[in-house]
Amino acid sequence: MTSLTLKRLSVFALPLATFAALSTAAQAQEWTPTRSIEFVAPANPGGGWDTLVRTVSRVIQQEGLADENFAAINVPGGGGAVAWAQIARDSGNPHKLFATSPPLILVPLAGASRYDHTDFTPVARLITDYSIILVPADSEYETINDLMTALEANPNLSVGGGSAPGSMDHISVAGLASAAGLDASSVNYIPFSGGGDAMTNLMGGHIEAVVTGAGEAVGQLGEGSQIRALGVSAPERIGGGLADVPTYQEQDIDYTFDIWRGVMGTPDMPAEAVAYYEDLFAEMLETDAWRDASEQLGWINAYQNSEEFGAFLDGQQEQFSDVLSELGLLRQ
């Protein structure tokens, strides 16, 4: 074979290889669901995960963004650990997603789950929410400082939340107490299986207050409500249905706490499925229906794609390890 022939072959080989690579990439991007997507909220109805799952599912359907339905499924227990164990056994399933937030980092660090974020596939971070402290409408506590003073005077008084000990709600109220001058480890935090259960116990008089996500509380506040908000962990007041709720900082407690929320997939979810969901959620965040829902719930868009979200989760694990260590809750 002559050198001229070799040169001609090499000239044609590159475009063919490039074409093959482009064809493979195109096929990866063309994946779409072939049946309904199971969208898991790892808690009972009424909590932050449930609110995210149902809001996302509704907006996607309302805007016609996907051909298949997103079916909301509640799997409560263990502050998320029961659902994570089930999902971990469904490796590679591209038709199963779950809502996530700081408990995916905190619960394993506290030793309450054998699975952590590294066992699953990051899909996208969607929003940032904030914590809010709620009391019954007829409570004697008028401000967040009233509640902190009572907790300091009587350590037996309890604050409930919808996540496990050492998890999101606990860390939020412990940090608040510390910023208010209390010993964070002295807070009598009572965990419930979800925000809905915590609210039931609040109204039953079994706990003094509830710490929960602002987004999941907004629908229960307002004129004639049986509950009242003492403060929110945002750096400034939230709009929508929470415009009248003062921040902790307004009440001279220099403390903020944000609750990121996103979506994860099964272990080893195919890359083409991840790419599909990344694009779907990015498109969803730009819709009018999502903007309206976010404004009402006090959510702030904070989109990250799969790679960015994964790196963010690694950073959160390092940060929360330090917090739990200070509280004496880090698994050794």
Side-chain angles (χ1 to χ4, degrees), residues 68-90:
E68 300 291 343
N69 291 330
F70 279 63
I73 299 172
N74 294 91
V75 182
V82 172
W84 302 331
Q86 291 183 12
I87 295 165
R89 293 193 293 267
D90 209 3

Side-chain angles (χ1 to χ4, degrees), residues 148-332:
M148 293 296 109
T149 299
L151 294 177
E152 185 175 26
N154 185 358
N156 290 322
L157 297 180
S158 55
V159 177
S163 61
S167 192
M168 180 176 65
D169 292 335
H170 187 190
I171 294 298
S172 174
V173 71
L176 172 63
S178 178
L182 282 66
D183 177 1
S185 63
S186 71
V187 175
N188 185 19
Y189 174 79
I190 307 296
F192 296 95
S193 60
D197 286 346
M199 290 301 303
T200 298
N201 280 271
L202 178 69
M203 299 314 302
H206 304 297
I207 51 180
E208 296 298 305
V210 159
V211 54
T212 187
E216 62 198 84
V218 65
Q220 304 175 62
L221 294 167
E223 187 175 351
S225 173
Q226 294 182 294
I227 59 174
R228 180 161 43 85
L230 297 184
V232 64
S233 68
E236 57 186 32
R237 289 205 185 194
I238 300 173
L242 300 173
D244 294 334
V245 181
T247 67
Y248 301 150
Q249 291 182 329
E250 285 182 71
Q251 300 176 74
D252 298 322
I253 300 178
D254 188 15
Y255 179 68
T256 61
F257 185 85
D258 67 294
I259 305 170
W260 50 265
R261 300 191 191 277
V263 180
M264 300 281 282
T266 56
D268 299 318
M269 177 177 278
E272 58 268 26
V274 174
Y276 169 83
Y277 291 122
E278 281 179 318
D279 292 344
L280 174 66
F281 292 130
E283 183 179 3
M284 179 196 72
L285 264 60
E286 297 300 320
T287 65
D288 290 338
W290 180 262
R291 290 191 187 97
D292 291 344
S294 296
E295 181 178 354
Q296 180 61 34
L297 292 166
W299 290 347
I300 297 173
N301 284 355
Y303 179 81
Q304 288 180 323
N305 63 24
S306 176
E307 183 178 358
E308 294 166 338
F309 190 28
F312 171 80
L313 292 172
D314 291 340
Q316 286 283 285
Q317 186 177 53
E318 182 177 351
Q319 176 183 338
F320 286 140
S321 294
D322 294 339
V323 174
L324 289 176
S325 179
E326 291 177 9
L327 290 172
L329 295 171
L330 183 66
R331 176 183 59 188
Q332 299 301 321

Side-chain angles (χ1 to χ4, degrees), residues 107-132:
V107 172
L109 286 174
S113 172
R114 60 175 290 192
Y115 300 101
D116 65 17
H117 75 282
T118 63
D119 293 300
F120 304 102
T121 303
V123 174
R125 188 178 76 169
L126 300 181
I127 57 101
T128 289
D129 193 5
Y130 297 98
S131 285
I132 195 168

